[in-house]
Amino acid sequence: MKAVGSYKALAVNEAEAFLDVEIDKPVASGRNLLVEVRAVSVNPVDTKVRKRPHPDETWRVLGWDASGVVTAIGDDVSGFAVGDEVYYAGCITKPGSNSEYQLVDERIAAKKPASLGFADAAALPLTTITAWEALFERLGVSKTGADAGKSILMIGGAGGVGSIAIQLASKLAGLNIIATASREESANWCMARGADFVINHYEDIPEALVEIGHAQVDYVLCLTNIAGYWKTITDVIKPQGKICTIVDFFEDSNLDLLKLKSASFAFEFMFTRSMHQTDDMDEINKLLSETAALIDSGDLVTTAGDAISPINADNMRKVHATIEEGRAIGKYVLEGWA
Ligand SMILES: NC(=O)c1ccc[n+]([C@@H]2O[C@H](COP(=O)([O-])OP(=O)(O)OC[C@H]3O[C@@H](n4cnc5c(N)ncnc54)[C@H](OP(=O)(O)O)[C@@H]3O)[C@@H](O)[C@H]2O)c1
């Protein structure tokens, strides 16, 4: 089968950073689904893993976001059948989705939204799992409206995760959302997804919050560069407020700054359940299924921009280069095999 391989730990412009390769088609067993991949999306994690040295110095298959059709199932699969259209992010310790066929555990996959094509569906899984777990599990926000009217500052609102986190916080939780964006197009994108206010992360955040009448906030969701915003975050969080980040927390960030406010801090890593095979791994199936229903009812919309075709090394290189610039708005999707 066809796949896009990534060789060694290379910069995006190196010839062997992306290769069109032929590899063996995997065989479904246990709780795995064998999925014929129709579309994939690219996340910053793909670029990070690509640049990370790996021991055997051979190519590997990246990609942790896909939609496709189930073509075979393992003997222990109970929730899916051949022919089901699915979407999933997969597991970071397993081969990625940039291949014609991929195995995925049924507990971390779900039937894709019926109203979306494969490209629009592939944009959603990784970022939705991240945003959902961050908001409703790590920050403990009620998804049935019990916290409606509370305020959240989302730093990096127009990116892949922010684009769905804003929708979830608005449509399900009814939070008052202050998103950050630095450009007119990224600010407009956040407002269109349900942000109540947009402020510029490169300007004085505390001052901007005072101007919009939210000097302090109940929640902070930091989707980028937490080290650079840590002091600001600890200043603007309310006493007993809650902070979550999805990015690395650098050594110079001092947790003591939270003590006098009894503020909480949590990490969100969306591969935790799949990587550690936790007992509640099927929560991912449940949240993706709930998301599919919310898409089909029109409450949520896809975060995909235009899809490019086909899925091959040249196009993968272009998308990685764009994501590495750190200015993505929504998600980049590749669809179909040549
Ligand atoms: N822990 C997890 O499970 C998890 C899951 C998903 C992603 N992540 C990580 O989270 C980060 C964000 O992911 P993503 O998919 O949302 O990224 P993305 O789509 O590449 O984010 C791009 C956005 O980031 C904003 N941005 C860039 N630099 C910024 C800065 N210094 N301050 C504030 N905003 C900035 C840009 O906004 P403007 O153009 O408006 O400036 C742009 O819209 C990545 O590092 C990714 O690896 C972690």
Side-chain angles (χ1 to χ4, degrees):
M1 66 173 180
K2 290 178 184 144
V4 179
S6 177
Y7 190 63
K8 294 185 180 169
L10 292 171
V12 72
N13 55 352
E14 299 270 1
E16 289 179 318
F18 301 92
L19 294 172
D20 291 310
V21 295
E22 282 287 332
I23 59 175
D24 292 339
K25 185 173 161 181
V27 177
S29 63
R31 297 195 72 173
N32 281 333
L33 315 173
L34 179 65
V35 178
E36 183 192 342
V37 173
R38 296 288 182 85
V40 297
S41 83
V42 184
N43 292 281
V45 68
D46 300 46
T47 69
K48 293 175 187 175
V49 175
R50 193 195 81 238
K51 288 184 276 193
R52 195 178 293 159
H54 57 123
D56 50 1
E57 288 292 305
T58 181
W59 51 262
R60 55 194 155 176
V61 176
L62 307 174
W64 290 278
D65 248 347
S67 63
V69 181
V70 176
T71 59
I73 56 172
D75 290 342
D76 302 327
V77 167
S78 57
F80 294 86
V82 170
D84 283 345
E85 297 184 349
V86 293
Y87 74 147
Y88 56 90
C91 178
I92 193 77
T93 60
K94 304 267 167 57
S97 40
N98 297 338
S99 58
E100 271 183 296
Y101 293 86
Q102 184 188 14
L103 294 176
V104 63
D105 189 302
E106 65 168 335
R107 290 167 289 183
I108 58 171
K111 288 170 192 156
K112 80 167 181 56
S115 57
L116 293 186
F118 288 103
D120 283 341
L124 288 164
L126 187 145
T127 49
T128 301
I129 297 165
T130 311
W132 187 289
E133 291 182 343
L135 287 167
F136 304 133
E137 301 187 29
R138 313 304 170 218
L139 290 173
V141 173
S142 162
K143 68 180 168 72
T144 51
D147 293 309
K150 289 187 180 172
S151 53
I152 185 165
L153 172 65
M154 282 191 201
I155 301 177
V161 180
S163 300
I164 187 73
I166 290 173
Q167 297 186 59
L168 294 172
S170 166
K171 290 287 170 59
L172 273 67
L175 296 183
N176 222 327
I177 302 162
I178 304 136
T180 79
S182 70
R183 295 170 288 152
E184 194 180 346
E185 56 267 44
S186 50
N188 290 342
W189 176 271
C190 293
M191 292 301 285
R193 262 127 217 102
D196 297 286
F197 303 94
V198 178
I199 61 176
N200 188 332
H201 37 246
Y202 297 133
E203 293 176 1
D204 189 326
I205 291 177
E207 197 176 291
L209 288 175
V210 169
E211 276 170 22
I212 60 170
H214 287 283
Q216 292 194 316
V217 292
D218 295 286
Y219 306 101
V220 176
L221 178 54
C222 185
L223 304 172
T224 182
N225 184 26
I226 182 137
Y229 294 111
W230 184 240
K231 177 68 172 62
T232 299
I233 290 169
T234 59
D235 284 344
V236 304
I237 192 72
K238 279 185 188 172
Q240 306 185 89
K242 293 180 180 168
I243 300 161
C244 177
T245 190
I246 63 171
V247 295
D248 291 350
F249 187 55
F250 296 89
E251 282 172 14
D252 58 357
S253 300
N254 182 359
L255 275 179
D256 285 351
L257 294 175
L258 302 180
K259 186 182 172 198
L260 297 185
K261 287 184 176 172
S262 297
S264 317
F265 174 78
F267 272 120
E268 159 58 21
F269 182 52
M270 54 74 58
F271 289 119
T272 296
R273 283 182 161 127
S274 54
M275 189 176 186
H276 299 283
Q277 301 268 303
T278 59
D279 290 343
D280 65 352
M281 198 168 141
D282 63 348
E283 286 298 319
I284 296 194
N285 162 270
K286 290 180 196 159
L287 76 85
L288 287 177
S289 301
E290 211 172 324
T291 300
L294 289 162
I295 294 267
D296 289 338
S297 63
D299 289 305
L300 301 175
V301 297
T302 182
T303 53
D306 292 338
I308 59 172
S309 194
I311 305 168
N312 64 15
D314 278 351
N315 284 333
M316 197 59 71
R317 185 189 305 278
K318 285 179 199 152
V319 175
H320 273 235
T322 304
I323 286 181
E324 284 181 4
E325 289 170 10
R327 288 161 62 87
I329 295 180
K331 294 300 305 285
Y332 294 93
V333 178
L334 288 83
E335 185 176 25
W337 298 87

